[in-house]
PDB file of all heavy atoms in Angstrom:
ATOM      1  N   PHE A  17       0.850  -1.192  -0.001  1.00  0.00           N
ATOM      2  CA  PHE A  17       0.000   0.000  -0.001  1.00  0.00           C
ATOM      3  C   PHE A  17       0.884   1.243   0.000  1.00  0.00           C
ATOM      4  O   PHE A  17       2.104   1.155   0.167  1.00  0.00           O
ATOM      5  CB  PHE A  17      -0.959   0.015   1.202  1.00  0.00           C
ATOM      6  CG  PHE A  17      -0.301  -0.172   2.547  1.00  0.00           C
ATOM      7  CD1 PHE A  17       0.350   0.873   3.187  1.00  0.00           C
ATOM      8  CD2 PHE A  17      -0.338  -1.413   3.187  1.00  0.00           C
ATOM      9  CE1 PHE A  17       0.953   0.710   4.426  1.00  0.00           C
ATOM     10  CE2 PHE A  17       0.264  -1.586   4.429  1.00  0.00           C
ATOM     11  CZ  PHE A  17       0.900  -0.533   5.050  1.00  0.00           C
ATOM     12  N   ASN A  18       0.249   2.400  -0.204  1.00  0.00           N
ATOM     13  CA  ASN A  18       0.989   3.662  -0.214  1.00  0.00           C
ATOM     14  C   ASN A  18       1.326   4.088   1.209  1.00  0.00           C
ATOM     15  O   ASN A  18       0.485   3.971   2.109  1.00  0.00           O
ATOM     16  CB  ASN A  18       0.168   4.756  -0.888  1.00  0.00           C
ATOM     17  CG  ASN A  18       0.156   4.619  -2.392  1.00  0.00           C
ATOM     18  OD1 ASN A  18       0.201   3.522  -2.926  1.00  0.00           O
ATOM     19  ND2 ASN A  18       0.094   5.747  -3.086  1.00  0.00           N
ATOM     20  N   ARG A  19       2.519   4.596   1.394  1.00  0.00           N
ATOM     21  CA  ARG A  19       2.918   5.104   2.700  1.00  0.00           C
ATOM     22  C   ARG A  19       4.078   6.072   2.533  1.00  0.00           C
ATOM     23  O   ARG A  19       4.694   6.151   1.469  1.00  0.00           O
ATOM     24  CB  ARG A  19       3.295   3.962   3.651  1.00  0.00           C
ATOM     25  CG  ARG A  19       4.580   3.247   3.319  1.00  0.00           C
ATOM     26  CD  ARG A  19       4.764   1.988   4.159  1.00  0.00           C
ATOM     27  NE  ARG A  19       6.148   1.496   4.099  1.00  0.00           N
ATOM     28  CZ  ARG A  19       7.052   1.648   5.057  1.00  0.00           C
ATOM     29  NH1 ARG A  19       6.722   2.274   6.186  1.00  0.00           N
ATOM     30  NH2 ARG A  19       8.278   1.182   4.932  1.00  0.00           N
ATOM     31  N   LEU A  20       4.371   6.796   3.591  1.00  0.00           N
ATOM     32  CA  LEU A  20       5.500   7.717   3.575  1.00  0.00           C
ATOM     33  C   LEU A  20       6.795   6.911   3.674  1.00  0.00           C
ATOM     34  O   LEU A  20       6.960   6.096   4.584  1.00  0.00           O
ATOM     35  CB  LEU A  20       5.418   8.693   4.751  1.00  0.00           C
ATOM     36  CG  LEU A  20       4.230   9.655   4.760  1.00  0.00           C
ATOM     37  CD1 LEU A  20       4.191  10.430   6.067  1.00  0.00           C
ATOM     38  CD2 LEU A  20       4.291  10.611   3.575  1.00  0.00           C
ATOM     39  N   THR A  21       7.691   7.136   2.743  1.00  0.00           N
ATOM     40  CA  THR A  21       9.034   6.532   2.811  1.00  0.00           C
ATOM     41  C   THR A  21      10.037   7.623   2.475  1.00  0.00           C
ATOM     42  O   THR A  21      10.447   7.760   1.314  1.00  0.00           O
ATOM     43  CB  THR A  21       9.176   5.348   1.838  1.00  0.00           C
ATOM     44  OG1 THR A  21       8.791   5.769   0.524  1.00  0.00           O
ATOM     45  CG2 THR A  21       8.340   4.168   2.265  1.00  0.00           C
ATOM     46  N   PRO A  22      10.410   8.439   3.451  1.00  0.00           N
ATOM     47  CA  PRO A  22      11.299   9.581   3.189  1.00  0.00           C
ATOM     48  C   PRO A  22      12.744   9.152   2.963  1.00  0.00           C
ATOM     49  O   PRO A  22      13.632   9.390   3.782  1.00  0.00           O
ATOM     50  CB  PRO A  22      11.139  10.430   4.453  1.00  0.00           C
ATOM     51  CG  PRO A  22      10.796   9.452   5.530  1.00  0.00           C
ATOM     52  CD  PRO A  22       9.979   8.381   4.865  1.00  0.00           C
ATOM     53  N   ILE A  23      12.959   8.469   1.836  1.00  0.00           N
ATOM     54  CA  ILE A  23      14.270   7.942   1.478  1.00  0.00           C
ATOM     55  C   ILE A  23      14.731   8.618   0.197  1.00  0.00           C
ATOM     56  O   ILE A  23      13.988   8.698  -0.785  1.00  0.00           O
ATOM     57  CB  ILE A  23      14.201   6.414   1.265  1.00  0.00           C
ATOM     58  CG1 ILE A  23      13.596   5.725   2.493  1.00  0.00           C
ATOM     59  CG2 ILE A  23      15.583   5.842   0.954  1.00  0.00           C
ATOM     60  CD1 ILE A  23      14.412   5.849   3.747  1.00  0.00           C
ATOM     61  N   TRP A  24      15.973   9.079   0.198  1.00  0.00           N
ATOM     62  CA  TRP A  24      16.520   9.851  -0.922  1.00  0.00           C
ATOM     63  C   TRP A  24      16.384   9.127  -2.269  1.00  0.00           C
ATOM     64  O   TRP A  24      15.846   9.704  -3.231  1.00  0.00           O
ATOM     65  CB  TRP A  24      17.982  10.185  -0.617  1.00  0.00           C
ATOM     66  CG  TRP A  24      18.699  10.922  -1.688  1.00  0.00           C
ATOM     67  CD1 TRP A  24      19.447  10.390  -2.691  1.00  0.00           C
ATOM     68  CD2 TRP A  24      18.757  12.339  -1.874  1.00  0.00           C
ATOM     69  NE1 TRP A  24      19.957  11.372  -3.497  1.00  0.00           N
ATOM     70  CE2 TRP A  24      19.559  12.572  -3.011  1.00  0.00           C
ATOM     71  CE3 TRP A  24      18.202  13.412  -1.189  1.00  0.00           C
ATOM     72  CZ2 TRP A  24      19.822  13.852  -3.481  1.00  0.00           C
ATOM     73  CZ3 TRP A  24      18.481  14.701  -1.656  1.00  0.00           C
ATOM     74  CH2 TRP A  24      19.275  14.904  -2.785  1.00  0.00           C
ATOM     75  N   PRO A  25      16.827   7.870  -2.422  1.00  0.00           N
ATOM     76  CA  PRO A  25      16.701   7.223  -3.739  1.00  0.00           C
ATOM     77  C   PRO A  25      15.247   7.106  -4.200  1.00  0.00           C
ATOM     78  O   PRO A  25      14.958   7.266  -5.383  1.00  0.00           O
ATOM     79  CB  PRO A  25      17.329   5.835  -3.518  1.00  0.00           C
ATOM     80  CG  PRO A  25      18.226   5.995  -2.344  1.00  0.00           C
ATOM     81  CD  PRO A  25      17.542   6.994  -1.469  1.00  0.00           C
ATOM     82  N   ASN A  26      14.334   6.820  -3.262  1.00  0.00           N
ATOM     83  CA  ASN A  26      12.934   6.684  -3.646  1.00  0.00           C
ATOM     84  C   ASN A  26      12.350   8.012  -4.124  1.00  0.00           C
ATOM     85  O   ASN A  26      11.469   8.044  -4.979  1.00  0.00           O
ATOM     86  CB  ASN A  26      12.114   6.145  -2.480  1.00  0.00           C
ATOM     87  CG  ASN A  26      12.416   4.681  -2.188  1.00  0.00           C
ATOM     88  OD1 ASN A  26      13.364   4.125  -2.741  1.00  0.00           O
ATOM     89  ND2 ASN A  26      11.635   4.073  -1.339  1.00  0.00           N
ATOM     90  N   ALA A  27      12.837   9.124  -3.554  1.00  0.00           N
ATOM     91  CA  ALA A  27      12.380  10.433  -4.011  1.00  0.00           C
ATOM     92  C   ALA A  27      12.779  10.647  -5.465  1.00  0.00           C
ATOM     93  O   ALA A  27      11.978  11.131  -6.284  1.00  0.00           O
ATOM     94  CB  ALA A  27      12.955  11.532  -3.127  1.00  0.00           C
ATOM     95  N   TYR A  28      14.007  10.282  -5.801  1.00  0.00           N
ATOM     96  CA  TYR A  28      14.469  10.427  -7.185  1.00  0.00           C
ATOM     97  C   TYR A  28      13.645   9.547  -8.122  1.00  0.00           C
ATOM     98  O   TYR A  28      13.205   9.985  -9.190  1.00  0.00           O
ATOM     99  CB  TYR A  28      15.951  10.075  -7.305  1.00  0.00           C
ATOM    100  CG  TYR A  28      16.441  10.172  -8.736  1.00  0.00           C
ATOM    101  CD1 TYR A  28      16.901  11.377  -9.250  1.00  0.00           C
ATOM    102  CD2 TYR A  28      16.409   9.066  -9.583  1.00  0.00           C
ATOM    103  CE1 TYR A  28      17.310  11.477 -10.577  1.00  0.00           C
ATOM    104  CE2 TYR A  28      16.811   9.154 -10.896  1.00  0.00           C
ATOM    105  CZ  TYR A  28      17.269  10.362 -11.394  1.00  0.00           C
ATOM    106  OH  TYR A  28      17.667  10.454 -12.702  1.00  0.00           O
ATOM    107  N   ILE A  29      13.427   8.294  -7.720  1.00  0.00           N
ATOM    108  CA  ILE A  29      12.671   7.365  -8.552  1.00  0.00           C
ATOM    109  C   ILE A  29      11.243   7.873  -8.764  1.00  0.00           C
ATOM    110  O   ILE A  29      10.707   7.836  -9.868  1.00  0.00           O
ATOM    111  CB  ILE A  29      12.651   5.969  -7.899  1.00  0.00           C
ATOM    112  CG1 ILE A  29      14.069   5.388  -7.854  1.00  0.00           C
ATOM    113  CG2 ILE A  29      11.723   5.029  -8.663  1.00  0.00           C
ATOM    114  CD1 ILE A  29      14.199   4.192  -6.931  1.00  0.00           C
ATOM    115  N   GLY A  30      10.623   8.376  -7.680  1.00  0.00           N
ATOM    116  CA  GLY A  30       9.281   8.933  -7.803  1.00  0.00           C
ATOM    117  C   GLY A  30       9.255  10.140  -8.719  1.00  0.00           C
ATOM    118  O   GLY A  30       8.321  10.323  -9.506  1.00  0.00           O
ATOM    119  N   GLY A  31      10.273  10.982  -8.612  1.00  0.00           N
ATOM    120  CA  GLY A  31      10.358  12.150  -9.480  1.00  0.00           C
ATOM    121  C   GLY A  31      10.519  11.759 -10.939  1.00  0.00           C
ATOM    122  O   GLY A  31       9.871  12.323 -11.834  1.00  0.00           O
ATOM    123  N   ARG A  32      11.370  10.803 -11.172  1.00  0.00           N
ATOM    124  CA  ARG A  32      11.587  10.349 -12.550  1.00  0.00           C
ATOM    125  C   ARG A  32      10.295   9.768 -13.138  1.00  0.00           C
ATOM    126  O   ARG A  32       9.947  10.022 -14.282  1.00  0.00           O
ATOM    127  CB  ARG A  32      12.696   9.304 -12.571  1.00  0.00           C
ATOM    128  CG  ARG A  32      13.066   8.820 -13.950  1.00  0.00           C
ATOM    129  CD  ARG A  32      14.492   9.130 -14.253  1.00  0.00           C
ATOM    130  NE  ARG A  32      14.855   8.737 -15.599  1.00  0.00           N
ATOM    131  CZ  ARG A  32      16.020   9.016 -16.145  1.00  0.00           C
ATOM    132  NH1 ARG A  32      16.912   9.695 -15.465  1.00  0.00           N
ATOM    133  NH2 ARG A  32      16.299   8.637 -17.367  1.00  0.00           N
ATOM    134  N   THR A  33       9.600   8.975 -12.320  1.00  0.00           N
ATOM    135  CA  THR A  33       8.323   8.410 -12.753  1.00  0.00           C
ATOM    136  C   THR A  33       7.325   9.519 -13.076  1.00  0.00           C
ATOM    137  O   THR A  33       6.651   9.497 -14.108  1.00  0.00           O
ATOM    138  CB  THR A  33       7.754   7.490 -11.661  1.00  0.00           C
ATOM    139  OG1 THR A  33       8.703   6.450 -11.363  1.00  0.00           O
ATOM    140  CG2 THR A  33       6.440   6.881 -12.089  1.00  0.00           C
ATOM    141  N   ALA A  34       7.213  10.496 -12.165  1.00  0.00           N
ATOM    142  CA  ALA A  34       6.297  11.609 -12.380  1.00  0.00           C
ATOM    143  C   ALA A  34       6.648  12.371 -13.645  1.00  0.00           C
ATOM    144  O   ALA A  34       5.773  12.728 -14.444  1.00  0.00           O
ATOM    145  CB  ALA A  34       6.318  12.548 -11.173  1.00  0.00           C
ATOM    146  N   GLY A  35       7.942  12.640 -13.846  1.00  0.00           N
ATOM    147  CA  GLY A  35       8.366  13.411 -15.010  1.00  0.00           C
ATOM    148  C   GLY A  35       7.981  12.760 -16.323  1.00  0.00           C
ATOM    149  O   GLY A  35       7.500  13.422 -17.247  1.00  0.00           O
ATOM    150  N   ARG A  36       8.161  11.464 -16.404  1.00  0.00           N
ATOM    151  CA  ARG A  36       7.802  10.754 -17.642  1.00  0.00           C
ATOM    152  C   ARG A  36       6.295  10.818 -17.888  1.00  0.00           C
ATOM    153  O   ARG A  36       5.847  11.002 -19.018  1.00  0.00           O
ATOM    154  CB  ARG A  36       8.290   9.309 -17.564  1.00  0.00           C
ATOM    155  CG  ARG A  36       9.806   9.178 -17.647  1.00  0.00           C
ATOM    156  CD  ARG A  36      10.254   7.738 -17.462  1.00  0.00           C
ATOM    157  NE  ARG A  36       9.689   6.851 -18.465  1.00  0.00           N
ATOM    158  CZ  ARG A  36      10.151   6.697 -19.703  1.00  0.00           C
ATOM    159  NH1 ARG A  36      11.199   7.407 -20.106  1.00  0.00           N
ATOM    160  NH2 ARG A  36       9.592   5.854 -20.555  1.00  0.00           N
ATOM    161  N   ASN A  37       5.523  10.671 -16.820  1.00  0.00           N
ATOM    162  CA  ASN A  37       4.066  10.765 -16.975  1.00  0.00           C
ATOM    163  C   ASN A  37       3.630  12.186 -17.330  1.00  0.00           C
ATOM    164  O   ASN A  37       2.709  12.377 -18.136  1.00  0.00           O
ATOM    165  CB  ASN A  37       3.374  10.296 -15.698  1.00  0.00           C
ATOM    166  CG  ASN A  37       3.380   8.785 -15.566  1.00  0.00           C
ATOM    167  OD1 ASN A  37       2.729   8.085 -16.331  1.00  0.00           O
ATOM    168  ND2 ASN A  37       4.122   8.259 -14.597  1.00  0.00           N
ATOM    169  N   MET A  38       4.273  13.176 -16.745  1.00  0.00           N
ATOM    170  CA  MET A  38       3.954  14.564 -17.080  1.00  0.00           C
ATOM    171  C   MET A  38       4.207  14.834 -18.558  1.00  0.00           C
ATOM    172  O   MET A  38       3.498  15.621 -19.189  1.00  0.00           O
ATOM    173  CB  MET A  38       4.787  15.513 -16.217  1.00  0.00           C
ATOM    174  CG  MET A  38       4.402  15.498 -14.737  1.00  0.00           C
ATOM    175  SD  MET A  38       5.650  16.266 -13.665  1.00  0.00           S
ATOM    176  CE  MET A  38       5.416  18.004 -14.051  1.00  0.00           C
ATOM    177  N   ALA A  39       5.215  14.158 -19.112  1.00  0.00           N
ATOM    178  CA  ALA A  39       5.562  14.342 -20.528  1.00  0.00           C
ATOM    179  C   ALA A  39       4.775  13.416 -21.453  1.00  0.00           C
ATOM    180  O   ALA A  39       5.031  13.385 -22.658  1.00  0.00           O
ATOM    181  CB  ALA A  39       7.060  14.114 -20.716  1.00  0.00           C
ATOM    182  N   GLY A  40       3.844  12.652 -20.872  1.00  0.00           N
ATOM    183  CA  GLY A  40       2.937  11.883 -21.712  1.00  0.00           C
ATOM    184  C   GLY A  40       3.280  10.426 -21.914  1.00  0.00           C
ATOM    185  O   GLY A  40       2.613   9.740 -22.703  1.00  0.00           O
ATOM    186  N   VAL A  41       4.298   9.909 -21.221  1.00  0.00           N
ATOM    187  CA  VAL A  41       4.663   8.496 -21.341  1.00  0.00           C
ATOM    188  C   VAL A  41       4.218   7.768 -20.086  1.00  0.00           C
ATOM    189  O   VAL A  41       4.766   8.013 -18.993  1.00  0.00           O
ATOM    190  CB  VAL A  41       6.178   8.328 -21.557  1.00  0.00           C
ATOM    191  CG1 VAL A  41       6.548   6.835 -21.588  1.00  0.00           C
ATOM    192  CG2 VAL A  41       6.610   8.998 -22.845  1.00  0.00           C
ATOM    193  N   HIS A  42       3.245   6.889 -20.231  1.00  0.00           N
ATOM    194  CA  HIS A  42       2.723   6.169 -19.065  1.00  0.00           C
ATOM    195  C   HIS A  42       3.826   5.329 -18.438  1.00  0.00           C
ATOM    196  O   HIS A  42       4.419   4.462 -19.074  1.00  0.00           O
ATOM    197  CB  HIS A  42       1.559   5.266 -19.476  1.00  0.00           C
ATOM    198  CG  HIS A  42       1.018   4.459 -18.327  1.00  0.00           C
ATOM    199  ND1 HIS A  42       0.190   5.010 -17.370  1.00  0.00           N
ATOM    200  CD2 HIS A  42       1.193   3.159 -17.972  1.00  0.00           C
ATOM    201  CE1 HIS A  42      -0.134   4.089 -16.482  1.00  0.00           C
ATOM    202  NE2 HIS A  42       0.460   2.952 -16.835  1.00  0.00           N
ATOM    203  N   THR A  43       4.116   5.611 -17.155  1.00  0.00           N
ATOM    204  CA  THR A  43       5.167   4.912 -16.433  1.00  0.00           C
ATOM    205  C   THR A  43       4.699   4.685 -15.006  1.00  0.00           C
ATOM    206  O   THR A  43       4.230   5.619 -14.349  1.00  0.00           O
ATOM    207  CB  THR A  43       6.471   5.751 -16.404  1.00  0.00           C
ATOM    208  OG1 THR A  43       6.840   6.090 -17.744  1.00  0.00           O
ATOM    209  CG2 THR A  43       7.605   4.986 -15.741  1.00  0.00           C
ATOM    210  N   GLN A  44       4.825   3.463 -14.528  1.00  0.00           N
ATOM    211  CA  GLN A  44       4.427   3.165 -13.152  1.00  0.00           C
ATOM    212  C   GLN A  44       5.634   3.210 -12.231  1.00  0.00           C
ATOM    213  O   GLN A  44       6.744   2.816 -12.595  1.00  0.00           O
ATOM    214  CB  GLN A  44       3.771   1.781 -13.063  1.00  0.00           C
ATOM    215  CG  GLN A  44       2.334   1.755 -13.529  1.00  0.00           C
ATOM    216  CD  GLN A  44       1.567   0.591 -12.924  1.00  0.00           C
ATOM    217  OE1 GLN A  44       2.131  -0.399 -12.506  1.00  0.00           O
ATOM    218  NE2 GLN A  44       0.250   0.723 -12.871  1.00  0.00           N
ATOM    219  N   TYR A  45       5.378   3.709 -11.026  1.00  0.00           N
ATOM    220  CA  TYR A  45       6.388   3.675  -9.964  1.00  0.00           C
ATOM    221  C   TYR A  45       6.795   2.219  -9.755  1.00  0.00           C
ATOM    222  O   TYR A  45       5.942   1.344  -9.568  1.00  0.00           O
ATOM    223  CB  TYR A  45       5.762   4.245  -8.700  1.00  0.00           C
ATOM    224  CG  TYR A  45       6.690   4.498  -7.536  1.00  0.00           C
ATOM    225  CD1 TYR A  45       7.760   5.383  -7.657  1.00  0.00           C
ATOM    226  CD2 TYR A  45       6.468   3.897  -6.300  1.00  0.00           C
ATOM    227  CE1 TYR A  45       8.586   5.646  -6.575  1.00  0.00           C
ATOM    228  CE2 TYR A  45       7.291   4.155  -5.215  1.00  0.00           C
ATOM    229  CZ  TYR A  45       8.345   5.030  -5.355  1.00  0.00           C
ATOM    230  OH  TYR A  45       9.162   5.288  -4.286  1.00  0.00           O
ATOM    231  N   PRO A  46       8.091   1.902  -9.820  1.00  0.00           N
ATOM    232  CA  PRO A  46       8.519   0.503  -9.773  1.00  0.00           C
ATOM    233  C   PRO A  46       8.395  -0.108  -8.381  1.00  0.00           C
ATOM    234  O   PRO A  46       8.016   0.563  -7.417  1.00  0.00           O
ATOM    235  CB  PRO A  46       9.983   0.587 -10.208  1.00  0.00           C
ATOM    236  CG  PRO A  46      10.416   1.950  -9.790  1.00  0.00           C
ATOM    237  CD  PRO A  46       9.199   2.836  -9.965  1.00  0.00           C
ATOM    238  N   ARG A  47       8.713  -1.385  -8.296  1.00  0.00           N
ATOM    239  CA  ARG A  47       8.667  -2.089  -7.019  1.00  0.00           C
ATOM    240  C   ARG A  47       9.826  -1.609  -6.145  1.00  0.00           C
ATOM    241  O   ARG A  47      10.982  -1.929  -6.400  1.00  0.00           O
ATOM    242  CB  ARG A  47       8.761  -3.596  -7.225  1.00  0.00           C
ATOM    243  CG  ARG A  47       7.560  -4.209  -7.925  1.00  0.00           C
ATOM    244  CD  ARG A  47       7.748  -5.701  -8.085  1.00  0.00           C
ATOM    245  NE  ARG A  47       7.934  -6.364  -6.796  1.00  0.00           N
ATOM    246  CZ  ARG A  47       6.945  -6.824  -6.041  1.00  0.00           C
ATOM    247  NH1 ARG A  47       5.696  -6.703  -6.438  1.00  0.00           N
ATOM    248  NH2 ARG A  47       7.202  -7.415  -4.883  1.00  0.00           N
ATOM    249  N   VAL A  48       9.524  -0.847  -5.116  1.00  0.00           N
ATOM    250  CA  VAL A  48      10.535  -0.379  -4.175  1.00  0.00           C
ATOM    251  C   VAL A  48       9.944  -0.398  -2.777  1.00  0.00           C
ATOM    252  O   VAL A  48       8.736  -0.484  -2.583  1.00  0.00           O
ATOM    253  CB  VAL A  48      11.031   1.056  -4.497  1.00  0.00           C
ATOM    254  CG1 VAL A  48      11.760   1.105  -5.821  1.00  0.00           C
ATOM    255  CG2 VAL A  48       9.883   2.049  -4.488  1.00  0.00           C
ATOM    256  N   THR A  49      10.823  -0.320  -1.797  1.00  0.00           N
ATOM    257  CA  THR A  49      10.412  -0.178  -0.415  1.00  0.00           C
ATOM    258  C   THR A  49      11.453   0.699   0.266  1.00  0.00           C
ATOM    259  O   THR A  49      12.415   1.153  -0.365  1.00  0.00           O
ATOM    260  CB  THR A  49      10.300  -1.555   0.279  1.00  0.00           C
ATOM    261  OG1 THR A  49       9.741  -1.389   1.596  1.00  0.00           O
ATOM    262  CG2 THR A  49      11.653  -2.232   0.412  1.00  0.00           C
TER     263      THR A  49
END
């Protein structure tokens, strides 16, 4: 489920995922913890 994970690498991964979706390429946040 969704939860707060204030971890530096996960922030980058989330940002990268968001950026691709903002630019129109459907991308899912990968399997991370």
Side-chain angles (χ1 to χ4, degrees):
F17 53 79
N18 284 32
R19 70 190 195 103
L20 296 173
T21 53
I23 306 296
W24 178 267
N26 289 10
Y28 178 87
I29 295 166
R32 184 119 183 173
T33 302
R36 289 176 60 81
N37 284 292
M38 291 165 73
V41 176
H42 178 77
T43 306
Q44 282 203 338
Y45 189 60
R47 293 180 59 89
V48 295
T49 187

